Amino acid sequence: MPARSTDSLLQIEESLHSSLKKGHHSASLSDRLISANKRILLQHIEFRPAAATSSAQLEKLKSKYASINPSTSLTDHVKPSKGMSPFNPPSASDLAHDDDLPDPKVVLYPPEKVKLQWPAVRRIGAGLTNLGNTCFLNSVLQCLTYTPPLVNYLSSSEHAHTCKQVGFCMVCELQRHFRRCYENGGQAIKPHAILQKIKLIAKHMHWGRQEDAHEFLRYVIDAMQKSCLNGNTKLDRISKETTVINQIFGGFLRSQVVCLKCKAKSNTYDPFLDISVDVKNVPNIQKAFEKFVQPEQLDLDNAYNCTKCKQKVAAQKRFTIHKPSNVLTIQLKRYGVMGGKVTRHISFPEKLNIRPYMSVSQGAAITYQLYAVLVHMGHSTNSGHYYCYVRSSNQAWYCMNDSMVQQTSQGRVLNSEAYMLFYIRCDAAANHEQPKVCPFHV
Ligand SMILES: [Zn+2]
Ligand SMILES: [Zn+2]
């Protein structure tokens, strides 16, 4: 205790003693005590830091109380899940600094309900008549018609029973289309119904004009996703990614930035419904994925603003597949922004293991089997001709070229000039990796 406080206490003691000795009036005693007390209370007291802390005492206190404002160094690991209630979407920064992908608060479609295999062998379906530059649409529809989990889902009346869409619904539309295809095997049908709604699927697309098949597929999947949200637009970002469409086609990518100065890591997770890979100067799809996960240097004009270093620093950014999808759709970026096309054959395997391109690259193989290949012939995506190869439920390959349906060999499929590849997960762990959360019935 500082010396001056001790002096004041002595003064009080002295005043008390002298008052009692000299037989002063009690009022006088109280006045003198008040003034002595004031001297203590109004004086400036200096504290010195202790030479050593009592760690045992501190540990005891730590176990007794919960910290309400932990230091910033802990927040990367122990982040309270604020803003994660279904009706309070998280901010981007909430997700960016979490150490792992947050679980959805609400699951719209339970992942374990997704059926990846054909329940029975079906006859190959119908061909699709070209209604004037509609081969892009025909090829995309044919690839979807042989996507087992999507067909399995639409074979049941599950969607029809819960559909709340007024007017156009992409899922209902596709369900009708699939039924017509499978009921008319050996013939060609006209995909009029979908073509008439092309502007509702993608408002900039026109009937009669050749469009980019990959772009059209994106719009079809997005339109289905919108139908499956069934008005649940106020859900948080992660919960919105749990519709049947996400459970079939969707996964998560992780973008990790590592500050080269302080080594701090910042993770951002983004949902994907397909993956576009650069195929310039690569011989095969595996090399394209290696390129996809290759770290990128952020420096100079592109320097990273590190929140820990509080300055622009050199950093390394790397994409990895964080949560694999059940169906993996890959677009081969054959077309440059400035024109030009990679026309070389880029080989792709019948079985693809994506484990090396995952955030956790060690572990059991994550294997996919090829089930459809979309081919483009021509110089740009808006011209030329599209057709596709699909694997039917009896495992035989068919070439679907507009109205023509012809059985073919796997060798021919693997030698094709692919623009899009469709793989389906086939390892034993498929369907067991998604978080198990009670379904939210809507
Ligand atoms: Zn519907
Ligand atoms: Zn840093």
Side-chain angles (χ1 to χ4, degrees):
M1 187 176 278
R4 275 195 280 171
S5 304
T6 323
D7 293 348
S8 305
L9 279 174
L10 286 172
Q11 280 172 26
I12 295 175
E13 228 174 78
E14 276 171 21
S15 305
L16 203 58
H17 280 298
S18 63
S19 302
L20 291 170
K21 273 180 198 163
K22 289 172 191 168
H24 278 288
H25 193 264
S26 62
S28 166
L29 172 66
S30 91
D31 284 349
R32 293 180 70 165
L33 282 173
I34 288 168
S35 72
N37 273 319
K38 270 185 183 167
R39 278 201 298 278
I40 296 175
L41 294 172
L42 295 176
Q43 71 178 291
H44 177 73
I45 300 170
E46 282 172 12
F47 291 94
R48 286 187 302 269
T53 53
S54 166
S55 61
Q57 186 70 8
L58 198 64
E59 287 311 309
K60 203 175 153 193
L61 288 172
K62 272 187 188 170
S63 65
K64 206 170 167 187
Y65 303 105
S67 169
I68 54 165
N69 52 351
S71 69
T72 45
S73 61
L74 283 171
T75 51
D76 278 0
H77 307 287
V78 199
K79 181 114 183 156
S81 60
K82 68 180 166 74
M84 284 297 288
S85 79
F87 300 102
N88 193 1
S91 68
S93 60
D94 270 352
L95 302 175
H97 294 287
D98 269 350
D99 208 36
D100 208 352
L101 178 64
D103 281 340
K105 296 287 165 191
V106 168
V107 172
L108 296 170
Y109 192 85
E112 57 274 15
K113 275 177 77 180
V114 174
K115 299 280 175 285
L116 298 179
Q117 269 124 40
W118 294 113
V121 172
R122 291 170 186 242
R123 185 185 172 196
I124 188 80
L128 302 175
T129 309
N130 192 321
L131 299 168
N133 285 329
T134 56
C135 57
F136 76 94
L137 175 137
N138 288 349
S139 307
V140 166
L141 291 180
Q142 292 291 29
C143 290
L144 292 175
T145 309
Y146 297 89
T147 299
L150 186 63
V151 178
N152 290 341
Y153 173 68
L154 292 183
S155 298
S156 73
S157 49
E158 221 179 317
H159 173 77
H161 280 150
T162 55
C163 182
K164 290 179 191 160
Q165 293 297 108
V166 180
F168 171 69
C169 170
M170 190 72 238
V171 181
C172 291
E173 208 60 65
L174 215 52
Q175 185 166 33
R176 285 190 284 271
H177 176 79
F178 284 178
R179 195 175 300 136
R180 280 183 73 213
C181 276
Y182 284 109
E183 282 171 1
N184 291 283
Q187 302 172 50
I189 58 165
K190 294 187 173 89
H192 264 132
I194 292 182
L195 209 49
Q196 274 162 356
K197 284 152 192 132
I198 194 157
K199 285 208 162 291
L200 296 172
I201 301 167
K203 58 174 180 277
H204 65 286
M205 291 190 178
H206 297 278
W207 183 342
R209 194 173 74 185
Q210 180 76 287
E211 305 284 358
D212 180 346
H214 173 250
E215 197 185 353
F216 178 66
L217 174 69
R218 283 274 48 78
Y219 277 98
V220 170
I221 303 254
D222 284 351
M224 285 200 281
Q225 164 74 351
K226 202 175 151 215
S227 294
C228 292
L229 273 175
N230 244 342
N232 283 301
T233 49
K234 286 181 179 167
L235 291 176
D236 65 273
R237 199 176 84 113
I238 303 293
S239 299
K240 271 186 187 172
E241 307 295 332
T242 60
T243 68
V244 62
I245 298 304
N246 297 109
Q247 307 293 17
I248 294 172
F249 296 97
F252 276 86
L253 289 179
R254 185 184 79 181
S255 157
Q256 184 172 74
V257 180
V258 182
C259 168
L260 295 180
K261 198 174 172 200
C262 73
K263 306 287 175 215
K265 289 174 184 169
S266 167
N267 294 331
T268 310
Y269 301 95
D270 282 305
F272 71 84
L273 289 165
D274 64 8
I275 295 180
S276 294
V277 292
D278 186 357
V279 290
K280 270 188 219 87
N281 308 317
V282 296
N284 56 45
I285 209 74
Q286 293 93 325
K287 290 277 178 214
F289 267 108
E290 278 175 30
K291 213 167 151 182
F292 183 80
V293 299
Q294 222 164 50
E296 178 198 343
Q297 298 294 324
L298 305 178
D299 207 351
L300 305 170
D301 290 349
N302 202 16
Y304 169 65
N305 202 354
C306 178
T307 50
K308 289 232 169 81
C309 296
K310 294 191 171 34
Q311 57 172 292
K312 291 247 183 188
V313 289
Q316 208 170 55
K317 184 181 177 178
R318 185 176 185 237
F319 280 107
T320 44
I321 300 170
H322 196 73
K323 185 184 158 196
S325 52
N326 278 318
V327 166
L328 178 62
T329 311
I330 305 164
Q331 182 212 11
L332 285 76
K333 290 199 273 185
R334 288 183 177 273
Y335 305 90
V337 186
M338 306 299 285
K341 183 187 177 185
V342 177
T343 49
R344 272 176 307 106
H345 173 69
I346 289 147
S347 67
F348 47 92
E350 196 241 333
K351 292 256 172 82
L352 175 70
N353 172 22
I354 64 154
R355 176 57 84 182
Y357 327 117
M358 296 282 295
S359 300
V360 179
S361 58
Q362 305 291 314
I366 295 176
T367 314
Y368 289 83
Q369 186 182 35
L370 187 71
Y371 76 88
V373 178
L374 193 143
V375 180
H376 177 248
M377 293 189 312
H379 297 292
S380 86
T381 48
N382 296 95
S383 66
H385 181 60
Y386 288 100
Y387 62 95
C388 67
Y389 293 101
V390 297
R391 188 196 287 270
S392 79
S393 52
N394 67 359
Q395 301 303 306
W397 282 98
Y398 285 85
C399 177
M400 313 298 264
N401 192 345
D402 286 332
S403 51
M404 191 206 79
V405 175
Q406 201 169 51
Q407 196 172 342
T408 189
S409 68
Q410 183 165 285
R412 202 180 172 104
V413 175
L414 295 178
N415 269 316
S416 64
E417 199 180 286
Y419 176 47
M420 273 196 272
L421 299 170
F422 296 77
Y423 282 93
I424 188 155
R425 199 148 167 209
C426 63
D427 58 78
N431 260 340
H432 295 285
E433 293 204 341
Q434 283 98 349
K436 299 276 183 287
V437 183
C438 288
F440 174 69
H441 297 288
V442 285

